[in-house]
Amino acid sequence: MTIDGSRFCEIEASADGVAQLRLPFSPSGNRVLDVRVEQDRVEAAIEPVVASIEIGVPGLQPALHLPPMLGALASAERPVPVELEPMQREVAVIVPVYNAAEGVARCLDSVLAHTTGPCRLIVIDDASTDPGISPLLERYRGIAGVDILANERNLGFTATVNRGIRHAGAADVVLLNADTEVAAHWLTGLRRAACCAADVATATAVSDNAGAFSVPELERENPIPPPWTFEQTARALWQSAGHAYPQLPTGNGFCMYVRREVLDAVGLFDVEAFPEGYGEENDFCQRASARGYRHLVAGNVFVAHARSQSFGIERRERLGRAGMQVLRERWPNYETEVGAMLFSFERRVLDWRVRRIHALAPLLQPLPRVLHLLAGQNPPPLPGYDSWMITMHNQEWVLHGARAELVESAPAGPLASRHVSEWLQRYGFEWVAFGERIEAGAMKLLGAQARRLGVPVLDLAAGPQPGPGVAAAGINPLRSFKGERP
């Protein structure tokens, strides 16, 4: 079955030839969908069903051949509750290192450039044999907020991670493989996902190459859609993948956020059973699930993953088989739960939306999105930026898109903070800019929600200052690391 021109899923027919698919919400966020249903591997040629459907309305209508635009998932989204302060949570990013100096440098440089909010970077060399590792890591030593540690002997991945977790003190942690590369807002996105509900234990990013966390095709290496770069692809997912946050029975340690209260309740990773990794995070997540916690997929956070640079493919496969055997013995329902959740409706929607995003690559260039608070005039031109506008007029907040089209509106009043907070998250705004003659209450409300969610604020009415296009990371007051390696 395809929706709006992109494959959504396969539907298995019953013995009497009836196939059924329930749509709890619209995958595109739009009320009307174009669908195409055709049989696979049939002896006789059967014409496909091509039609349009309207969510909540029975029956089929002629196909409309709709433009391939994605709307907000709205009721299916899981925004950060307005009373929480995700950017106030201290986080330690733990990067275990073993050889592969070139990949390590790419990973660490991306973390320094793209991380915002209270954060420390803990890098641990697990007695690498690559002579390039030690001098490379020395170049990061001395940067404020960066701790460079070294094991006297090779302890293995799991013991090295546990050392980092202990070194992090009371902070939440993110496990980040040294063969990854992050992009703008990666940690902000993980913070928001981890804080969307009190029972969330972990939030894991998606990737081009991370097994069950690969998008849009599971267990495959997914190429970046031309002509986009990795950074542009990450921005496109940040703006349009949605915040439904599919649930799985496990996270994945290639890029996994773990809340400290869960570590305190469950304990560290099992070194004895998984000394070299490959199963340790699955076991940890199952222990957390047994205590009532859940594990989410942050589908709007895209992280590149080279995979197997330290271990190599053959060794990785061997370790994976050994780890799975332990998991089967400890958690006999684990594989069944993975199979059920991996093809949940929410996960199918995420993969489908990424397919739609990839299909748009030849048609548009993802640009940083700026939200201008104005008194009614059009936003000033910002070349290279996607400028939206929000106004507060006649006791109503109104959100306009880049072409001045009406996107959403909400009444001013007790719920205004919640609506504005949801818009900031839903549409992936990277900056908020205040114009002239703005009502003080509106400025205070929007500014408070932006800062709470990690969105930097520019007061353009305060006089000349660099716009967001001038080395954005360098002027972002929320940037975690002010230095760069020499």
Side-chain angles (χ1 to χ4, degrees):
M1 175 180 178
T2 65
I3 296 178
D4 291 350
S6 291
R7 180 173 59 84
F8 184 75
C9 69
E10 294 184 357
I11 311 173
E12 186 173 346
S14 62
D16 55 1
V18 175
Q20 181 176 345
L21 174 66
R22 180 175 176 268
L23 301 179
F25 56 89
S26 169
S28 70
N30 304 316
R31 287 191 58 83
V32 179
L33 307 170
D34 277 338
V35 298
R36 177 186 177 96
V37 181
E38 54 189 335
Q39 287 193 333
D40 189 21
R41 297 186 302 273
V42 294
E43 294 182 3
I46 299 178
E47 288 295 319
V49 175
V50 180
S52 70
I53 60 173
E54 183 173 354
I55 300 297
V57 178
L60 300 176
Q61 300 297 327
L64 299 178
H65 305 292
L66 300 167
M69 303 308 294
L70 291 172
L73 292 177
S75 62
E77 294 175 340
R78 301 177 184 180
V80 178
V82 72
E83 67 273 11
L84 297 185
E85 299 277 353
M87 297 305 293
Q88 296 303 312
R89 297 184 73 96
E90 183 185 358
V91 178
V93 177
I94 301 170
V95 182
V97 170
Y98 185 75
N99 296 336
E102 183 178 344
V104 171
R106 186 164 50 248
C107 172
L108 300 184
D109 287 347
S110 71
V111 171
L112 293 181
H114 297 303
T115 305
T116 53
C119 183
R120 295 159 60 199
L121 174 59
I122 301 172
V123 184
I124 310 176
D125 178 15
D126 192 21
S128 293
T129 58
D130 182 343
I133 289 293
S134 181
L136 170 68
L137 297 186
E138 281 301 313
R139 292 155 65 181
Y140 296 91
R141 195 182 299 276
I143 296 177
V146 178
D147 295 341
I148 305 297
L149 309 178
N151 296 336
E152 293 184 0
R153 59 181 179 84
N154 184 267
L155 300 180
F157 182 84
T158 308
T160 300
V161 166
N162 283 349
R163 181 185 179 186
I165 292 172
R166 287 190 290 264
H167 188 80
D172 294 349
V173 301
V174 175
L175 308 185
L176 184 67
N177 278 10
D179 55 2
T180 59
E181 182 179 358
V182 301
H185 319 297
W186 76 284
L187 185 54
T188 296
L190 291 178
R191 287 179 191 268
R192 293 179 186 175
C195 291
C196 75
D199 63 347
V200 176
T202 70
T204 300
V206 295
S207 178
D208 57 336
N209 187 20
F213 294 82
S214 297
V215 292
E217 310 305 332
L218 299 170
E219 303 292 348
R220 296 185 190 176
E221 183 173 356
N222 294 270
I224 299 298
W228 285 352
T229 64
F230 157 65
E231 290 81 4
Q232 289 174 315
T233 304
R235 174 163 282 120
L237 267 66
W238 175 252
Q239 295 175 350
S240 300
H243 302 79
Y245 299 145
Q247 184 175 333
L248 284 177
T250 184
N252 186 312
F254 90 96
C255 183
M256 182 174 76
Y257 188 112
V258 187
R259 290 167 56 154
R260 175 56 62 170
E261 53 262 49
V262 180
L263 287 163
D264 292 341
V266 174
L268 299 177
F269 295 92
D270 190 335
V271 175
E272 184 175 346
F274 308 95
E276 298 181 90
Y278 292 92
E280 80 292 344
E281 78 268 54
N282 314 78
D283 175 73
F284 171 85
C285 290
Q286 286 289 282
R287 285 186 277 139
S289 296
R291 290 176 173 262
Y293 289 104
R294 296 182 298 129
H295 311 283
L296 303 183
V297 182
N300 62 325
V301 179
F302 184 70
V303 173
H305 188 206
R307 211 170 188 187
S308 301
Q309 287 201 352
S310 294
F311 286 152
I313 295 176
E314 184 175 333
R315 188 182 180 195
R316 175 174 64 85
E317 292 177 348
R318 175 177 58 80
L319 291 172
R321 289 191 297 270
M324 182 54 68
Q325 183 59 38
V326 176
L327 291 173
R328 289 187 181 116
E329 294 171 358
R330 289 187 175 182
W331 311 102
N333 295 326
Y334 171 71
E335 288 179 287
T336 301
E337 293 173 358
V338 170
M341 292 185 179
L342 200 55
F343 299 100
S344 68
F345 182 77
E346 291 78 7
R347 179 55 195 265
R348 284 172 166 168
V349 168
L350 170 60
D351 292 336
W352 177 84
R353 287 178 76 92
V354 176
R355 292 187 195 106
R356 295 301 311 133
I357 291 168
H358 282 196
L360 293 173
L363 306 177
L364 59 83
Q365 179 183 6
L367 299 174
R369 193 166 284 168
V370 182
L371 180 61
H372 295 264
L373 176 61
L374 299 171
Q377 69 273 31
N378 291 327
L382 279 177
Y385 281 77
D386 189 15
S387 292
W388 290 38
M389 178 176 68
I390 187 170
T391 61
M392 209 279 279
H393 182 64
N394 291 334
Q395 295 301 304
E396 184 178 45
W397 287 90
V398 182
L399 178 67
H400 294 272
R403 295 176 298 279
E405 75 278 14
L406 173 64
V407 178
E408 294 196 44
S409 63
L415 297 181
S417 291
R418 191 193 75 183
H419 291 301
V420 169
S421 168
E422 290 176 357
W423 295 348
L424 287 169
Q425 297 173 72
R426 179 176 298 157
Y427 298 105
F429 291 108
E430 301 186 33
W431 294 85
V432 164
F434 295 154
E436 298 180 347
R437 301 186 301 278
I438 300 301
E439 195 269 324
M443 186 182 301
K444 180 179 179 181
L445 187 151
L446 178 57
Q449 291 307 312
R451 294 182 182 94
R452 183 181 72 88
L453 295 168
V455 182
V457 175
L458 293 172
D459 188 356
L460 300 181
Q465 57 182 296
V470 182
I475 65 171
N476 187 341
L478 301 176
R479 187 178 178 188
S480 305
F481 307 102
K482 309 303 182 185
E484 298 178 356
R485 70 180 176 96

